Amino acid sequence: MSESLFEQIQEDSKFLKLDLNNQEMAQLAVNKNMSQESIQAVEDTLRYLRDKKNASIISTLLKLSRLPLKEPKTFDNFDFSQIHGQHVESLRNLSALTSVYAHKNLAFIGPPGVGKTHLAMAYGRECCKQGMKTYFLKATELNQKLTDARKYGRESSTINFLVKPTCLIIDEVGRCVFDKENTRMFFDIIDRRYSKEGPNTMIFTSNETPDKWTAYFSEDSTLLCAIDRIFDEAIVYMIKGNSYRGRKIERIALTSGESMANLNN
């Protein structure tokens, strides 16, 4: 009866929120004259229940994240062969989630179709798989959410909601213009997340470099403060190249008008 087996039982019990430590389990084994096989059966049962609960947690987190479920964007189905450069390994290592534990934000900047949103979604999905709350929304959706919050007097609850996720993804910055009040609310979200304890990251995608973001917000001084906090601890991936989209298009050439056979008659 190895000590490690009792430690595993304690660890699984803790995850399942059961009041059972390794010393109690060892004493129970002595009192009941349990064999190695019996203790292993207890651990196997607890591990099964732990895995089942963990799968349920991940499923719930994914549903709440607003990430695609039917055709998920993952690091495994991202075509890294299309990305080149001396720092490409850094992109491949994103799945380790070091940025979220190091409190570093991420930004994927580049033209349409180079995989920015895919990478952001893949990162968010990996966070969910590690039990971290993730929330994805486009900048246009964020803008509307802030407008609705002001309209219905929900500013505080909306800001709190967007501060809570471990990983907050804002896609396509530059697709809409935030008015003055929404810009200030945006700053409040950034400011509170900046001071948040524990694993925490924000991910942005945009066709525009951050120095051009002022064109999409209506309060320059406030925005500059927000950008300072976004990029105070951040990794920015500048992706250049042609769009991946359309690579599988099958092109069929046809000609309209009367056929040559009819014209010759």
Side-chain angles (χ1 to χ4, degrees), residues 30 32 51 65 107 121 123 171 178 182 200 221-222 229 234:
V30 171
K32 298 295 184 181
D51 291 344
S65 71
M121 287 182 169
Y123 197 97
D171 190 37
F178 289 66
N182 282 6
N200 176 35
S221 60
T222 301
R229 283 162 174 75

Side-chain angles (χ1 to χ4, degrees), residues 105 186-187 190 209-214 217 220-234:
N105 294 322
F186 175 74
F187 169 78
I190 302 300
T209 53
D211 61 298
K212 297 179 180 177
W213 287 10
T214 53
F217 295 85
D220 287 353
S221 60
T222 301
L223 175 65
L224 289 174
C225 290
I227 289 180
D228 281 346
R229 283 162 174 75
I230 291 170
F231 296 105
D232 183 41
E233 291 284 345

Side-chain angles (χ1 to χ4, degrees), residues 77-245:
N77 63 26
F78 183 80
D79 190 357
F80 284 101
S81 68
Q82 297 297 314
I83 303 293
H84 310 284
Q86 67 181 79
H87 300 298
V88 69
E89 201 60 29
S90 174
L91 205 63
R92 291 181 179 274
N93 291 335
L94 282 172
S95 59
L97 303 184
T98 53
S99 297
V100 73
Y101 290 107
H103 266 237
K104 288 184 179 291
N105 294 322
L106 298 174
F108 299 102
I109 310 297
V114 295
K116 304 185 301 296
T117 299
H118 187 134
L119 289 166
M121 287 182 169
Y123 197 97
R125 185 177 181 83
E126 204 63 35
C127 285
C128 289
K129 288 169 65 178
Q130 296 301 318
M132 302 178 196
K133 187 175 182 180
T134 299
Y135 194 69
F136 172 92
L137 74 172
K138 293 187 179 296
T140 51
E141 294 172 322
L142 172 62
N143 200 11
Q144 187 60 53
K145 184 180 284 289
L146 298 181
T147 298
D148 290 343
R150 288 160 47 201
K151 181 178 179 180
Y152 298 108
R154 297 197 300 258
E155 294 96 330
S156 180
S157 61
T158 297
I159 291 173
N160 288 338
F161 176 81
L162 293 169
V163 169
K164 284 182 180 179
T166 299
C167 178
L168 179 65
I169 304 170
I170 301 177
D171 190 37
E172 296 183 338
V173 174
R175 289 297 183 95
C176 63
V177 176
F178 289 66
D179 66 20
K180 195 170 186 178
E181 291 303 317
N182 282 6
T183 298
R184 289 177 177 174
M185 288 181 70
F186 175 74
F187 169 78
D188 285 343
I189 294 166
I190 302 300
D191 186 53
R192 287 182 54 187
R193 291 189 64 89
Y194 181 77
S195 305
K196 185 179 176 182
E197 294 184 359
N200 176 35
T201 195
M202 293 186 70
I203 301 176
F204 298 87
T205 76
S206 180
N207 298 342
E208 303 284 356
T209 53
D211 61 298
K212 297 179 180 177
W213 287 10
T214 53
Y216 306 104
F217 295 85
S218 303
E219 179 81 20
D220 287 353
S221 60
T222 301
L223 175 65
L224 289 174
C225 290
I227 289 180
D228 281 346
R229 283 162 174 75
I230 291 170
F231 296 105
D232 183 41
E233 291 284 345
I235 301 174
V236 180
Y237 291 92
M238 305 293 295
I239 305 175
K240 301 178 181 179
N242 299 321
S243 173
Y244 299 165
R245 297 170 190 150

